[in-house]
Amino acid sequence: RRSVQIIIPRQIAMLLSHMLTKRSLPQIGEKFERDHTTILHSCRKVKAVADVLKPAIEQRASLADLVRLAKDMHSQLVHNKPHRNQKRT
């Protein structure tokens, strides 16, 4: 298995590359040495986590609450399961 310490930051970097550049998914994939579908998958995963964390941040949740929520979402990413409040897409 690949290290989560590498996977999550790489997925975030893929999303940022997609959001901040005018490059196509295949072009971004070339830079990361991944298929364009991997880039698309990473973007969707990171956006899903951000969507779940956003309300907690807006409600000024405690740092401990955010860490717990982030760990839960991290577990969901690793195991490729939807968050308990989300449907599979």
Coordinates of all heavy atoms in Angstrom, one line a residue:
R1 N 0.8 -1.2 0.0 CA 0.0 0.0 0.0 C 0.9 1.3 0.0 O 1.9 1.3 0.6 CB -0.9 0.0 1.2 CG -2.1 -0.8 1.1 CD -3.0 -0.6 2.3 NE -3.8 0.6 2.2 CZ -5.0 0.7 1.9 NH1 -5.7 -0.4 1.7 NH2 -5.7 1.8 1.8
R2 N 0.3 2.3 -0.6 CA 1.0 3.5 -0.6 C 0.8 4.3 0.7 O -0.3 4.2 1.3 CB 0.6 4.4 -1.8 CG 1.0 3.7 -3.1 CD 0.7 4.7 -4.3 NE 1.2 4.1 -5.5 CZ 0.6 3.3 -6.3 NH1 -0.6 2.9 -6.1 NH2 1.2 2.9 -7.4
S3 N 1.7 5.1 1.0 CA 1.7 5.8 2.3 C 0.6 6.9 2.2 O 0.6 7.7 1.3 CB 3.0 6.4 2.6 OG 2.9 7.3 3.7
V4 N -0.2 7.0 3.2 CA -1.3 8.1 3.3 C -0.6 9.4 3.4 O -1.1 10.4 2.9 CB -2.2 7.8 4.4 CG1 -3.2 8.9 4.6 CG2 -3.0 6.5 4.2
Q5 N 0.6 9.4 4.0 CA 1.3 10.7 4.1 C 1.7 11.3 2.8 O 2.0 12.5 2.7 CB 2.6 10.5 5.0 CG 2.3 10.2 6.4 CD 3.5 9.8 7.2 OE1 4.5 9.3 6.7 NE2 3.5 10.0 8.5
I6 N 1.7 10.4 1.8 CA 2.0 10.9 0.4 C 0.7 11.1 -0.4 O 0.6 12.0 -1.2 CB 2.9 9.9 -0.3 CG1 4.3 9.9 0.4 CG2 3.1 10.2 -1.8 CD1 5.2 8.8 -0.1
I7 N -0.2 10.2 -0.2 CA -1.4 10.2 -1.0 C -2.3 11.4 -0.9 O -2.6 12.1 -1.9 CB -2.3 9.0 -0.7 CG1 -1.6 7.7 -1.1 CG2 -3.7 9.1 -1.4 CD1 -2.3 6.4 -0.6
I8 N -2.6 11.8 0.4 CA -3.4 13.0 0.6 C -2.8 14.3 0.1 O -3.5 15.0 -0.6 CB -3.8 13.1 2.1 CG1 -4.4 11.8 2.6 CG2 -4.7 14.3 2.4 CD1 -5.7 11.3 1.9
P9 N -1.6 14.6 0.4 CA -1.0 15.8 -0.1 C -1.0 15.8 -1.6 O -1.2 16.8 -2.3 CB 0.4 15.8 0.5 CG 0.3 15.0 1.7 CD -0.7 14.0 1.4
R10 N -0.7 14.6 -2.2 CA -0.7 14.6 -3.7 C -2.1 14.8 -4.3 O -2.2 15.5 -5.3 CB -0.1 13.2 -4.2 CG -0.1 13.1 -5.7 CD 0.6 11.9 -6.2 NE 0.0 10.7 -5.7 CZ 0.7 9.6 -5.2 NH1 2.0 9.6 -5.3 NH2 0.1 8.6 -4.8
Q11 N -3.1 14.3 -3.6 CA -4.5 14.5 -4.1 C -4.8 16.0 -4.0 O -5.4 16.6 -4.9 CB -5.5 13.7 -3.3 CG -5.4 12.2 -3.7 CD -6.4 11.4 -2.9 OE1 -6.7 11.7 -1.7 NE2 -6.9 10.3 -3.5
I12 N -4.4 16.6 -2.9 CA -4.6 18.1 -2.8 C -3.9 18.9 -3.8 O -4.4 19.8 -4.4 CB -4.3 18.6 -1.3 CG1 -5.2 17.9 -0.3 CG2 -4.3 20.1 -1.2 CD1 -4.8 18.1 1.1
A13 N -2.7 18.5 -4.1 CA -1.9 19.1 -5.1 C -2.5 19.0 -6.5 O -2.5 19.9 -7.3 CB -0.4 18.6 -5.2
M14 N -3.1 17.8 -6.8 CA -3.8 17.6 -8.0 C -5.0 18.5 -8.2 O -5.2 19.1 -9.2 CB -4.2 16.1 -8.2 CG -3.1 15.2 -8.4 SD -3.7 13.4 -8.3 CE -2.2 12.6 -8.6
L15 N -5.8 18.6 -7.1 CA -6.9 19.5 -7.1 C -6.5 21.0 -7.4 O -7.1 21.7 -8.2 CB -7.7 19.4 -5.9 CG -8.9 20.4 -5.7 CD1 -9.9 20.2 -6.8 CD2 -9.6 20.3 -4.4
L16 N -5.5 21.4 -6.6 CA -5.0 22.8 -6.8 C -4.5 23.0 -8.2 O -4.7 24.1 -8.8 CB -3.9 23.1 -5.7 CG -4.4 23.2 -4.3 CD1 -3.2 23.3 -3.4 CD2 -5.4 24.3 -4.1
S17 N -3.8 22.0 -8.8 CA -3.3 22.2 -10.1 C -4.5 22.3 -11.1 O -4.4 23.1 -12.0 CB -2.5 20.9 -10.5 OG -1.3 20.8 -9.7
H18 N -5.5 21.6 -10.9 CA -6.7 21.7 -11.7 C -7.4 23.0 -11.6 O -7.8 23.6 -12.5 CB -7.7 20.5 -11.4 CG -8.9 20.5 -12.2 ND1 -8.9 20.4 -13.6 CD2 -10.2 20.5 -11.9 CE1 -10.1 20.4 -14.1 NE2 -10.9 20.5 -13.0
M19 N -7.5 23.5 -10.3 CA -8.2 24.7 -10.0 C -7.4 26.0 -10.5 O -8.0 26.9 -10.9 CB -8.5 24.8 -8.5 CG -9.5 23.8 -8.0 SD -9.7 23.8 -6.2 CE -10.1 25.5 -5.9
L20 N -6.1 25.9 -10.3 CA -5.3 27.1 -10.5 C -4.6 27.2 -11.8 O -4.0 28.2 -12.1 CB -4.3 27.2 -9.4 CG -4.9 27.3 -8.0 CD1 -3.8 27.2 -6.9 CD2 -5.8 28.5 -7.8
T21 N -4.7 26.2 -12.7 CA -4.1 26.3 -14.0 C -5.1 26.1 -15.1 O -6.3 25.7 -14.8 CB -3.0 25.2 -14.2 OG1 -3.6 23.9 -14.2 CG2 -2.0 25.3 -13.0
K22 N -4.8 26.4 -16.3 CA -5.7 26.1 -17.4 C -5.4 24.8 -18.1 O -5.8 24.6 -19.2 CB -5.5 27.3 -18.4 CG -6.0 28.6 -17.8 CD -5.9 29.7 -18.8 CE -6.3 31.0 -18.2 NZ -6.3 32.1 -19.1
R23 N -4.6 24.0 -17.4 CA -4.2 22.7 -18.0 C -5.4 21.7 -17.9 O -6.2 21.7 -17.0 CB -3.0 22.1 -17.2 CG -1.9 23.0 -17.1 CD -1.0 22.9 -18.3 NE 0.2 23.7 -18.1 CZ 0.8 24.3 -19.1 NH1 0.3 24.2 -20.3 NH2 1.8 25.0 -18.9
S24 N -5.4 20.8 -18.9 CA -6.4 19.8 -19.0 C -6.0 18.7 -18.0 O -4.9 18.6 -17.5 CB -6.5 19.2 -20.4 OG -5.3 18.5 -20.7
L25 N -7.0 17.8 -17.7 CA -6.7 16.7 -16.8 C -5.6 15.8 -17.3 O -4.7 15.4 -16.5 CB -8.0 15.9 -16.5 CG -9.0 16.6 -15.7 CD1 -10.3 15.7 -15.5 CD2 -8.5 17.0 -14.3
P26 N -5.6 15.5 -18.6 CA -4.5 14.7 -19.1 C -3.1 15.4 -19.0 O -2.1 14.7 -18.7 CB -4.8 14.5 -20.6 CG -6.3 14.5 -20.7 CD -6.7 15.6 -19.6
Q27 N -3.1 16.7 -19.1 CA -1.8 17.4 -19.0 C -1.3 17.4 -17.5 O -0.2 17.2 -17.3 CB -2.0 18.9 -19.4 CG -2.1 19.0 -20.9 CD -2.5 20.4 -21.3 OE1 -3.2 21.1 -20.6 NE2 -1.9 20.9 -22.5
I28 N -2.3 17.6 -16.6 CA -1.9 17.5 -15.2 C -1.5 16.1 -14.9 O -0.5 15.9 -14.1 CB -3.1 17.9 -14.3 CG1 -3.4 19.4 -14.5 CG2 -2.8 17.7 -12.8 CD1 -4.7 19.9 -14.0
G29 N -2.2 15.1 -15.4 CA -1.8 13.7 -15.2 C -0.4 13.4 -15.6 O 0.3 12.7 -14.9
E30 N 0.0 14.0 -16.7 CA 1.4 13.8 -17.2 C 2.4 14.3 -16.2 O 3.4 13.6 -15.9 CB 1.6 14.5 -18.5 CG 1.1 13.8 -19.7 CD 1.3 14.6 -21.0 OE1 2.4 15.3 -21.1 OE2 0.5 14.6 -21.9
K31 N 2.1 15.4 -15.6 CA 3.1 16.0 -14.6 C 3.2 15.1 -13.4 O 4.2 15.1 -12.7 CB 2.7 17.4 -14.2 CG 2.7 18.4 -15.4 CD 4.1 18.5 -16.0 CE 4.1 19.5 -17.1 NZ 5.4 19.6 -17.8
F32 N 2.1 14.5 -13.0 CA 2.1 13.7 -11.8 C 2.3 12.2 -12.1 O 2.3 11.3 -11.2 CB 0.7 13.8 -11.1 CG 0.5 15.0 -10.3 CD1 -0.1 16.1 -10.8 CD2 1.0 15.1 -9.0 CE1 -0.3 17.3 -10.1 CE2 0.8 16.3 -8.3 CZ 0.2 17.4 -8.8
E33 N 2.6 11.9 -13.4 CA 2.8 10.6 -13.9 C 1.6 9.7 -13.5 O 1.8 8.5 -13.0 CB 4.1 10.0 -13.4 CG 5.3 10.8 -13.9 CD 6.6 10.3 -13.4 OE1 6.6 9.3 -12.6 OE2 7.6 10.8 -13.8
R34 N 0.4 10.2 -13.7 CA -0.9 9.5 -13.4 C -1.8 9.7 -14.6 O -1.7 10.6 -15.4 CB -1.5 10.0 -12.2 CG -0.7 9.9 -10.9 CD -0.6 8.5 -10.4 NE -0.1 8.3 -9.1 CZ 1.2 8.2 -8.9 NH1 2.1 8.2 -9.9 NH2 1.7 8.0 -7.7
D35 N -2.8 8.8 -14.7 CA -3.8 8.9 -15.7 C -4.8 10.0 -15.4 O -4.9 10.4 -14.2 CB -4.6 7.5 -15.8 CG -5.6 7.5 -16.9 OD1 -5.2 7.3 -18.0 OD2 -6.8 7.6 -16.6
H36 N -5.4 10.6 -16.4 CA -6.3 11.7 -16.1 C -7.5 11.3 -15.2 O -8.0 12.1 -14.5 CB -6.8 12.3 -17.4 CG -7.9 11.5 -18.1 ND1 -7.6 10.4 -18.9 CD2 -9.2 11.6 -18.1 CE1 -8.7 9.8 -19.4 NE2 -9.7 10.6 -18.9
T37 N -7.9 10.0 -15.3 CA -9.0 9.6 -14.4 C -8.6 9.6 -12.9 O -9.4 9.8 -12.1 CB -9.5 8.2 -14.8 OG1 -8.4 7.2 -14.7 CG2 -10.1 8.2 -16.2
T38 N -7.3 9.4 -12.7 CA -6.8 9.5 -11.3 C -6.9 10.9 -10.8 O -7.2 11.2 -9.7 CB -5.3 9.0 -11.2 OG1 -5.3 7.6 -11.7 CG2 -4.7 9.1 -9.8
I39 N -6.6 11.9 -11.7 CA -6.7 13.3 -11.3 C -8.1 13.6 -11.0 O -8.4 14.3 -10.0 CB -6.1 14.2 -12.5 CG1 -4.7 13.8 -12.9 CG2 -6.2 15.7 -12.1 CD1 -3.7 13.8 -11.8
L40 N -9.0 13.2 -11.8 CA -10.5 13.4 -11.6 C -10.9 12.8 -10.3 O -11.6 13.5 -9.5 CB -11.3 12.8 -12.8 CG -12.8 13.0 -12.7 CD1 -13.1 14.5 -12.7 CD2 -13.4 12.4 -13.9
H41 N -10.5 11.6 -10.0 CA -10.9 10.9 -8.8 C -10.3 11.7 -7.6 O -11.1 11.9 -6.6 CB -10.3 9.5 -8.8 CG -10.4 8.8 -7.5 ND1 -11.6 8.2 -7.0 CD2 -9.5 8.6 -6.5 CE1 -11.4 7.7 -5.8 NE2 -10.1 7.9 -5.5
S42 N -9.1 12.1 -7.6 CA -8.5 12.9 -6.6 C -9.2 14.2 -6.3 O -9.5 14.6 -5.2 CB -7.0 13.2 -6.9 OG -6.3 12.0 -6.9
C43 N -9.6 14.9 -7.4 CA -10.3 16.2 -7.3 C -11.6 15.9 -6.6 O -12.0 16.7 -5.7 CB -10.5 16.8 -8.6 SG -9.0 17.4 -9.4
R44 N -12.3 14.9 -7.0 CA -13.6 14.6 -6.3 C -13.5 14.3 -4.9 O -14.3 14.7 -4.0 CB -14.3 13.5 -7.1 CG -14.8 13.9 -8.5 CD -15.5 12.8 -9.2 NE -16.0 13.2 -10.5 CZ -16.4 12.4 -11.5 NH1 -16.2 11.1 -11.3 NH2 -16.9 12.9 -12.6
K45 N -12.5 13.5 -4.5 CA -12.3 13.1 -3.1 C -12.0 14.3 -2.3 O -12.5 14.4 -1.2 CB -11.1 12.1 -3.0 CG -11.5 10.7 -3.5 CD -12.4 10.1 -2.4 CE -12.5 8.6 -2.7 NZ -13.3 7.9 -1.7
V46 N -11.1 15.1 -2.7 CA -10.7 16.3 -1.9 C -11.8 17.2 -1.8 O -12.1 17.8 -0.7 CB -9.4 17.0 -2.5 CG1 -9.1 18.3 -1.8 CG2 -8.2 16.0 -2.4
K47 N -12.6 17.4 -2.8 CA -13.8 18.3 -2.7 C -14.8 17.8 -1.8 O -15.4 18.5 -1.0 CB -14.4 18.5 -4.1 CG -13.6 19.4 -5.0 CD -14.3 19.6 -6.4 CE -13.5 20.4 -7.3 NZ -14.1 20.5 -8.6
A48 N -15.0 16.5 -1.7 CA -15.9 15.8 -0.8 C -15.5 16.1 0.6 O -16.4 16.4 1.5 CB -16.0 14.3 -1.1
V49 N -14.3 16.0 0.9 CA -13.8 16.2 2.3 C -14.0 17.7 2.6 O -14.4 18.0 3.7 CB -12.3 15.8 2.4 CG1 -11.7 16.3 3.7 CG2 -12.1 14.3 2.3
A50 N -13.6 18.6 1.7 CA -13.8 20.0 1.9 C -15.3 20.4 2.2 O -15.6 21.2 3.1 CB -13.3 20.8 0.8
D51 N -16.2 19.7 1.4 CA -17.6 20.0 1.6 C -18.1 19.6 3.0 O -18.9 20.3 3.6 CB -18.4 19.3 0.6 CG -18.3 19.9 -0.8 OD1 -17.8 21.0 -0.9 OD2 -18.7 19.2 -1.8
V52 N -17.5 18.5 3.5 CA -17.9 18.0 4.9 C -17.3 18.9 5.9 O -18.0 19.2 7.0 CB -17.5 16.6 5.1 CG1 -17.7 16.1 6.5 CG2 -18.3 15.7 4.1
L53 N -16.1 19.4 5.8 CA -15.4 20.2 6.8 C -15.9 21.6 6.8 O -15.9 22.3 7.9 CB -13.9 20.2 6.5 CG -13.2 18.9 6.8 CD1 -11.7 19.0 6.5 CD2 -13.3 18.5 8.3
K54 N -16.4 22.1 5.7 CA -16.8 23.6 5.6 C -17.8 24.0 6.7 O -17.6 25.0 7.3 CB -17.3 23.9 4.2 CG -17.5 25.3 4.0 CD -17.9 25.6 2.5 CE -18.2 27.1 2.3 NZ -18.6 27.4 1.0
P55 N -18.9 23.3 6.9 CA -19.8 23.7 7.9 C -19.2 23.8 9.3 O -19.5 24.7 10.1 CB -21.0 22.7 7.8 CG -20.8 22.1 6.5 CD -19.4 22.1 6.1
A56 N -18.4 22.8 9.6 CA -17.8 22.8 10.9 C -16.9 24.0 11.1 O -16.8 24.6 12.2 CB -17.0 21.5 11.1
I57 N -16.1 24.3 10.1 CA -15.3 25.5 10.1 C -16.1 26.8 10.3 O -15.8 27.7 11.1 CB -14.3 25.6 8.9 CG1 -13.3 24.4 9.0 CG2 -13.6 26.9 8.8 CD1 -12.6 24.2 7.7
E58 N -17.2 26.9 9.5 CA -18.0 28.1 9.6 C -18.7 28.2 10.9 O -19.0 29.3 11.3 CB -19.1 28.0 8.5 CG -18.5 28.2 7.1 CD -19.5 28.0 5.9 OE1 -20.6 27.5 6.2 OE2 -19.1 28.3 4.8
Q59 N -18.9 27.1 11.6 CA -19.6 27.2 12.9 C -18.5 27.4 14.0 O -18.8 27.3 15.2 CB -20.3 25.9 13.2 CG -21.5 25.7 12.3 CD -22.2 24.4 12.5 OE1 -21.9 23.6 13.4 NE2 -23.2 24.1 11.7
R60 N -17.3 27.6 13.6 CA -16.2 27.8 14.5 C -16.0 26.6 15.5 O -15.9 26.8 16.7 CB -16.3 29.1 15.3 CG -16.3 30.3 14.4 CD -16.5 31.6 15.2 NE -16.7 32.7 14.2 CZ -15.8 33.6 14.0 NH1 -14.7 33.6 14.6 NH2 -16.0 34.6 13.2
A61 N -16.0 25.4 14.9 CA -15.8 24.2 15.7 C -14.5 24.3 16.4 O -13.6 24.9 15.9 CB -16.0 23.0 14.9
S62 N -14.4 23.6 17.5 CA -13.1 23.6 18.2 C -12.1 22.8 17.4 O -12.4 22.0 16.5 CB -13.3 22.9 19.6 OG -13.4 21.5 19.4
L63 N -10.8 23.1 17.7 CA -9.8 22.4 17.0 C -9.9 20.9 17.1 O -9.7 20.2 16.2 CB -8.4 23.0 17.4 CG -7.2 22.4 16.7 CD1 -7.3 22.6 15.2 CD2 -5.9 23.0 17.3
A64 N -10.2 20.5 18.3 CA -10.3 19.1 18.6 C -11.4 18.5 17.7 O -11.3 17.4 17.2 CB -10.6 18.8 20.1
D65 N -12.5 19.2 17.6 CA -13.6 18.7 16.8 C -13.2 18.6 15.3 O -13.5 17.6 14.6 CB -14.9 19.6 16.9 CG -15.5 19.5 18.2 OD1 -15.4 18.5 18.9 OD2 -16.3 20.5 18.6
L66 N -12.5 19.6 14.8 CA -12.0 19.6 13.4 C -11.0 18.4 13.2 O -11.1 17.8 12.2 CB -11.3 20.9 13.1 CG -12.3 22.1 12.9 CD1 -11.5 23.4 12.7 CD2 -13.3 21.9 11.8
V67 N -10.1 18.2 14.2 CA -9.2 17.1 14.1 C -9.9 15.8 14.0 O -9.6 14.9 13.2 CB -8.2 17.1 15.2 CG1 -7.3 15.8 15.2 CG2 -7.2 18.3 15.1
R68 N -10.9 15.6 14.9 CA -11.7 14.3 14.9 C -12.4 14.2 13.5 O -12.4 13.1 12.9 CB -12.7 14.4 16.0 CG -12.4 13.6 17.2 CD -13.5 13.4 18.2 NE -14.1 14.6 18.6 CZ -13.7 15.4 19.6 NH1 -12.6 15.1 20.2 NH2 -14.3 16.5 19.9
L69 N -13.0 15.2 13.0 CA -13.7 15.2 11.7 C -12.7 14.9 10.6 O -13.0 14.1 9.7 CB -14.5 16.5 11.5 CG -15.4 16.5 10.3 CD1 -16.4 15.4 10.3 CD2 -16.1 17.9 10.2
A70 N -11.6 15.5 10.6 CA -10.6 15.3 9.6 C -10.1 13.8 9.6 O -9.9 13.2 8.6 CB -9.4 16.2 9.8
K71 N -9.9 13.3 10.8 CA -9.5 11.9 10.9 C -10.5 10.9 10.4 O -10.2 10.0 9.7 CB -9.2 11.5 12.4 CG -7.8 12.1 12.9 CD -7.6 11.6 14.3 CE -6.2 12.1 14.8 NZ -6.0 11.7 16.2
D72 N -11.8 11.3 10.7 CA -12.9 10.4 10.2 C -12.9 10.5 8.6 O -13.0 9.5 8.0 CB -14.2 10.9 10.7 CG -15.4 10.1 10.3 OD1 -15.2 8.8 10.2 OD2 -16.5 10.6 10.1
M73 N -12.7 11.7 8.1 CA -12.7 11.8 6.6 C -11.5 11.1 6.0 O -11.6 10.5 5.0 CB -12.8 13.3 6.2 CG -14.1 13.9 6.5 SD -15.5 13.0 5.8 CE -15.1 13.1 4.1
H74 N -10.4 11.2 6.7 CA -9.1 10.6 6.2 C -9.4 9.1 6.1 O -9.0 8.4 5.2 CB -8.0 10.9 7.2 CG -6.8 10.0 7.0 ND1 -6.0 10.1 5.9 CD2 -6.3 9.0 7.8 CE1 -5.0 9.2 6.0 NE2 -5.2 8.6 7.1
S75 N -10.0 8.5 7.2 CA -10.3 7.1 7.2 C -11.2 6.8 6.0 O -11.0 5.7 5.3 CB -11.0 6.7 8.5 OG -11.4 5.4 8.4
Q76 N -12.2 7.6 5.7 CA -13.1 7.4 4.5 C -12.3 7.4 3.2 O -12.5 6.6 2.3 CB -14.2 8.4 4.5 CG -15.1 8.4 5.7 CD -15.7 7.1 6.0 OE1 -16.1 6.4 5.1 NE2 -15.8 6.7 7.3
L77 N -11.3 8.3 3.1 CA -10.5 8.4 1.9 C -9.7 7.1 1.7 O -9.6 6.6 0.6 CB -9.6 9.6 1.9 CG -10.2 10.9 1.6 CD1 -9.2 12.0 1.9 CD2 -10.7 11.0 0.2
V78 N -9.1 6.7 2.8 CA -8.2 5.5 2.7 C -9.0 4.3 2.4 O -8.5 3.5 1.6 CB -7.5 5.3 4.1 CG1 -6.7 4.0 4.1 CG2 -6.5 6.5 4.3
H79 N -10.2 4.1 2.9 CA -10.9 2.9 2.7 C -11.9 3.1 1.6 O -12.7 2.2 1.3 CB -11.7 2.5 4.0 CG -10.7 2.3 5.1 ND1 -9.8 1.2 5.1 CD2 -10.5 2.9 6.3 CE1 -9.1 1.3 6.2 NE2 -9.5 2.3 6.9
N80 N -11.9 4.2 0.9 CA -12.7 4.5 -0.3 C -14.2 4.2 0.0 O -14.9 3.7 -0.8 CB -12.2 3.7 -1.5 CG -12.8 4.2 -2.8 OD1 -13.1 5.4 -2.8 ND2 -12.8 3.4 -3.8
K81 N -14.6 4.6 1.2 CA -16.1 4.5 1.5 C -16.6 5.9 1.6 O -16.0 6.8 2.0 CB -16.2 3.8 2.8 CG -15.7 2.4 2.8 CD -15.8 1.8 4.2 CE -15.2 0.4 4.2 NZ -15.2 -0.1 5.6
P82 N -17.9 6.1 1.3 CA -18.5 7.4 1.5 C -18.6 7.7 3.0 O -18.7 6.8 3.9 CB -19.9 7.2 0.9 CG -20.2 5.8 1.0 CD -18.9 5.1 0.9
H83 N -18.6 9.0 3.3 CA -18.8 9.4 4.7 C -20.2 9.0 5.1 O -21.1 8.8 4.3 CB -18.6 10.9 4.8 CG -18.7 11.5 6.1 ND1 -19.8 11.9 6.7 CD2 -17.7 11.6 7.1 CE1 -19.5 12.3 8.0 NE2 -18.3 12.2 8.2
R84 N -20.4 8.7 6.4 CA -21.6 8.2 6.9 C -22.8 9.0 6.5 O -23.9 8.6 6.5 CB -21.6 7.9 8.4 CG -21.4 9.2 9.2 CD -21.3 8.8 10.7 NE -20.9 10.0 11.5 CZ -19.7 10.2 11.9 NH1 -18.7 9.3 11.6 NH2 -19.3 11.3 12.5
N85 N -22.6 10.3 6.2 CA -23.7 11.2 5.9 C -23.8 11.4 4.4 O -24.6 12.3 3.9 CB -23.6 12.6 6.6 CG -23.7 12.4 8.1 OD1 -24.3 11.5 8.6 ND2 -23.0 13.3 8.8
Q86 N -23.0 10.7 3.6 CA -23.0 10.9 2.2 C -23.4 9.7 1.4 O -23.1 8.6 1.9 CB -21.6 11.3 1.7 CG -21.1 12.7 2.1 CD -19.7 13.0 1.6 OE1 -18.9 12.1 1.6 NE2 -19.5 14.2 1.3
K87 N -23.9 9.9 0.3 CA -24.2 8.7 -0.6 C -23.0 8.6 -1.5 O -22.3 9.5 -1.9 CB -25.4 9.0 -1.5 CG -26.7 9.2 -0.6 CD -27.9 9.5 -1.6 CE -29.1 9.6 -0.8 NZ -30.3 10.1 -1.6
R88 N -22.8 7.3 -2.0 CA -21.8 7.1 -3.0 C -22.1 7.8 -4.3 O -23.3 7.8 -4.7 CB -21.6 5.6 -3.3 CG -20.6 5.0 -2.5 CD -20.3 3.6 -3.1 NE -19.6 2.8 -2.1 CZ -18.3 2.8 -2.1 NH1 -17.6 3.4 -2.9 NH2 -17.7 2.1 -1.1
T89 N -21.1 8.4 -5.0 CA -21.4 9.0 -6.3 C -20.9 8.2 -7.4 O -20.0 7.3 -7.3 CB -20.7 10.4 -6.3 OG1 -19.4 10.3 -6.1 CG2 -21.4 11.3 -5.3

